[in-house]
Amino acid sequence: MIFNSEISGEQQHTTSPVVTGGSVIALVYNGGVIVGTDTLCSYGSMAAFKNVKKIAQISKNTIYASSGEFSDFQQVVKELAKIDRSALQYDDGVHPSPKDYGNFLARLSYKKRCKINPLYLQNVIAGFHNGERYLSLVDIYGTYLESNFITTGFASYFCKAIISNYWNENCTLDQAKQVIRECFKVLFCRDCRAHDVIQLAYVDAQGAHIEEPERVETKWDFNGFKSRANEKLHTQ
Amino acid sequence: MLKHLYDTDCVTWSPQGKLFQVEYAMEAVKQGSICLGLKSNENVVLCSLKRQPSELAGYQEKQFKIDDHMAIAIAGLTADARVLCKYMRTECLEYKYTYESHHPVGRLVFKVAEKSQHKTQSGAKRPYGVGLLVAGIDPNGVHLFETCPSGNYYEYKCQAIGSRSQAARTYFESWFHLFEKSTLEQLILHGLSALKKAIMEDEELNERNVEVGILGKNQKFVHLNAQELKDYIAKLETFNANTQIQQE
């Protein structure tokens, strides 16, 4: 992957992201892998784009999401799609497996980090291949980790307790969905760059399923919010 | 025939639509000593007859491992074979580095074929003078390919190339319907039987001039060692191709 800026010599180095996506949470469950993100892209502290689909389907049985610079996310989606398309050129029926994408992205990220011009992303690749679940994290440096659960961003701080208490690797799809919804509820309360509309996507033996965005339930009608001693506040 | 008018270089067609330089390159393959390959649902076996330039010399190796899941047997110019072998090994390493998985076999053969074709369309180059039998296993199954100096490649159930290979191919034509379900041992014995058909009257197969390489879904490419070769060659005496079992 060579950028025009590298050829023309005007190369700049990504030192900080501009438009960013929030946390990604991914879990394996009995029969597949599920990924959840919120649908917000922040412009610094401004919640600029509130209806963004941040989970991409790369191939029949692989999905990809990331947190960090959103333009890098869009570029990576293009690069990964290129690989699948070039497989058509050989016309031999061999398609990359989810692991192939994960490793490719790791090598790409590492290459860019070595040029001090990273893809400013924490990447999550999830897939289901030959009856096996696949879930990996590739970070900004090109570190590659396969795991049963992945969290990026603030989720790594707030959500691991919820995941370890309520999830195991053989839970059902619905249980895993509930855990992710619970995590995003907490994130919406505590992470300033989080949003309460989330999107879930899962991959199983039948392929990738990306669901429509949904709003997580949050509760704000506490008595303490509704009325304080000697004061009548606005109701919701 | 006025061949000599049209056979100076690769960029001249003959009136019959032939590229003589490419055809001459394929002759070089036919001059090489025989190598053959055959596959079942689970395994691929490569057998070759090694040549000895003189009594004092060693035998020229004809089979090379490309990766754990792929190997080649060569017939023709060994020096050209080395170039292609190095290319294939490099491609497999790069693929493994990027994707952490094995290079799909057909795809690498296609790349070699593209490279070979390139040499047939230039005024300043000559075709590779070597044919390869490429044995490999990938998610698509068990494969045996043949590549040609012309840049063509073909997939086979079993094939023999090199000098006197027609005799081996005749053997294959009679028995290849059994190969799909053969065990590894039966496959090796069929391969050696075919090889035996192709040697001269005063020659004999022994563990020094025969090379056998095996590859399987759960078997990385490996050469049979001298003792194993001896045992298999001894078993040839009583091997019945039809029933694929040893007869007393």
Side-chain angles (χ1 to χ4, degrees):
Chain A
M1 179 173 160
I2 299 187
F3 295 98
N4 286 331
S5 59
E6 288 174 24
I7 297 172
S8 65
E10 292 163 4
Q11 186 179 325
Q12 296 180 338
H13 298 265
T14 305
T15 50
S16 57
V18 178
V19 174
T20 55
S23 309
V24 177
I25 302 170
L27 310 168
V28 310
Y29 64 92
N30 188 8
V33 189
I34 182 166
V35 177
T37 65
D38 63 16
T39 55
L40 172 68
C41 276
S42 310
Y43 184 61
S45 61
M46 174 188 172
F49 309 103
K50 296 212 280 188
N51 208 0
V52 183
K53 304 249 164 76
K54 289 195 279 175
I55 305 179
Q57 179 169 4
I58 302 295
S59 75
K60 189 170 166 294
N61 59 358
T62 315
I63 54 179
Y64 162 68
S66 65
S67 58
E69 172 60 57
F70 192 64
S71 61
D72 283 347
F73 166 81
Q74 291 173 322
Q75 191 65 26
V76 169
V77 169
K78 282 196 189 127
E79 289 299 320
L80 295 181
K82 253 195 229 175
I83 298 174
D84 201 37
R85 267 206 311 283
S86 72
L88 290 175
Q89 197 180 321
Y90 291 105
D91 209 14
D92 56 4
V94 177
H95 282 276
S97 68
K99 191 160 103 86
D100 292 353
Y101 287 114
N103 279 288
F104 175 81
L105 189 50
R107 298 272 66 76
L108 180 64
S109 300
Y110 186 76
K111 174 185 168 174
K112 295 210 30 79
R113 149 254 164 94
C114 285
K115 297 187 176 183
I116 325 287
N117 188 15
L119 287 166
Y120 217 96
L121 298 171
Q122 302 273 341
N123 303 285
V124 177
I125 299 104
F128 195 87
H129 182 68
N130 279 352
E132 301 222 348
R133 309 171 292 195
Y134 173 82
L135 181 59
S136 71
L137 169 76
V138 177
D139 75 3
I140 189 179
Y141 309 107
T143 317
Y144 172 84
L145 296 162
E146 284 182 32
S147 185
N148 280 339
F149 74 98
I150 302 278
T151 53
T152 71
F154 264 99
S156 300
Y157 296 96
F158 288 117
C159 301
K160 285 205 172 132
I162 302 173
I163 291 171
S164 65
N165 283 336
Y166 294 105
W167 165 87
N168 68 75
E169 61 184 22
N170 289 316
C171 67
T172 65
L173 175 61
D174 283 324
Q175 284 171 331
K177 281 187 186 176
Q178 275 309 110
V179 170
I180 295 184
R181 286 181 187 127
E182 202 56 40
C183 289
F184 276 107
K185 264 187 231 181
V186 168
L187 282 175
F188 181 57
C189 287
R190 291 295 181 181
D191 178 5
C192 293
R193 311 280 189 264
H195 195 40
D196 59 348
V197 179
I198 67 167
Q199 191 176 25
L200 300 172
Y202 58 96
V203 201
D204 57 19
Q206 278 74 48
H209 315 263
I210 303 184
E211 299 191 338
E212 286 302 301
E214 58 183 79
R215 187 177 291 273
V216 289
E217 291 167 25
T218 49
K219 180 181 168 64
W220 298 103
D221 57 343
F222 296 102
N223 282 330
F225 289 172
K226 284 200 275 193
S227 64
R228 280 206 279 244
N230 303 323
E231 256 183 77
K232 283 247 164 75
L233 298 173
H234 298 293
T235 49
Q236 289 267 43
Chain B
M1 252 238 281
L2 300 165
K3 250 187 185 180
H4 61 280
L5 291 178
Y6 309 109
D7 67 357
T8 312
D9 51 34
C10 266
V11 290
T12 308
W13 290 96
S14 82
Q16 288 77 38
K18 289 181 191 290
L19 291 167
F20 281 122
Q21 277 299 305
V22 177
E23 304 218 345
Y24 295 161
M26 314 232 283
E27 278 304 309
V29 177
K30 292 180 194 163
Q31 298 297 320
S33 73
I34 184 176
C35 60
L36 54 86
L38 56 163
K39 70 174 189 182
S40 68
N41 282 339
E42 300 281 316
N43 297 95
V44 202
V45 170
L46 294 169
C47 300
S48 344
L49 194 66
K50 296 194 278 193
R51 261 191 203 145
Q52 194 188 21
S54 79
E55 284 270 320
L56 302 172
Y59 287 86
Q60 172 61 56
E61 300 280 309
K62 282 171 67 73
Q63 288 177 22
F64 302 99
K65 173 175 155 170
I66 301 295
D67 199 349
D68 287 331
H69 71 300
M70 207 189 306
I72 57 172
I74 65 166
L77 265 51
T78 314
D80 285 3
R82 255 203 302 277
V83 170
L84 289 178
C85 181
K86 186 174 179 185
Y87 172 72
M88 291 174 83
R89 283 174 176 164
T90 310
E91 288 298 304
C92 278
L93 267 178
E94 280 185 18
Y95 193 92
K96 205 182 241 177
Y97 175 76
T98 309
Y99 298 104
E100 282 286 323
S101 64
H102 288 143
H103 200 304
V105 184
R107 214 169 277 190
L108 187 56
V109 173
F110 173 83
K111 283 183 183 170
V112 170
E114 253 193 323
K115 218 164 128 70
S116 302
Q117 189 280 340
H118 199 248
K119 302 281 197 179
T120 69
Q121 207 170 3
S122 166
K125 301 191 169 102
R126 64 160 179 83
Y128 290 116
V130 64
L132 307 178
L133 285 179
V134 183
I137 313 260
D138 66 17
N140 258 357
V142 178
H143 300 282
L144 178 68
F145 287 93
E146 180 199 349
T147 71
C148 242
S150 60
N152 280 328
Y153 67 101
Y154 317 91
E155 186 158 13
Y156 282 98
K157 297 182 180 129
C158 47
Q159 170 67 319
I161 57 176
S163 77
R164 281 187 297 283
S165 53
Q166 185 52 51
R169 280 197 293 272
T170 310
Y171 176 93
F172 282 153
E173 273 161 29
S174 313
W175 302 116
F176 79 96
H177 59 280
L178 297 171
F179 293 166
E180 223 177 302
K181 305 245 172 63
S182 298
T183 64
L184 178 59
E185 170 157 328
Q186 288 165 344
L187 220 54
I188 296 173
L189 288 169
H190 274 301
L192 289 172
S193 303
L195 203 62
K196 198 162 182 184
K197 297 272 187 220
I199 56 175
M200 301 210 283
E201 277 121 35
D202 54 347
E203 264 185 316
E204 53 151 31
L205 297 182
N206 58 55
E207 75 282 3
R208 287 181 307 281
N209 68 359
V210 169
E211 197 175 5
V212 175
I214 57 177
L215 193 60
K217 283 190 174 162
N218 299 315
Q219 167 76 55
K220 293 186 193 175
F221 179 74
V222 80
H223 283 116
L224 294 185
N225 63 36
Q227 187 55 49
E228 287 166 326
L229 279 174
K230 255 192 187 154
D231 294 338
Y232 276 112
I233 292 170
K235 281 187 185 159
L236 269 187
E237 302 297 317
T238 50
F239 179 63
N240 180 323
N242 191 14
T243 57
Q244 297 189 101
I245 51 177
Q246 305 298 123
Q247 279 183 331
E248 291 317 300

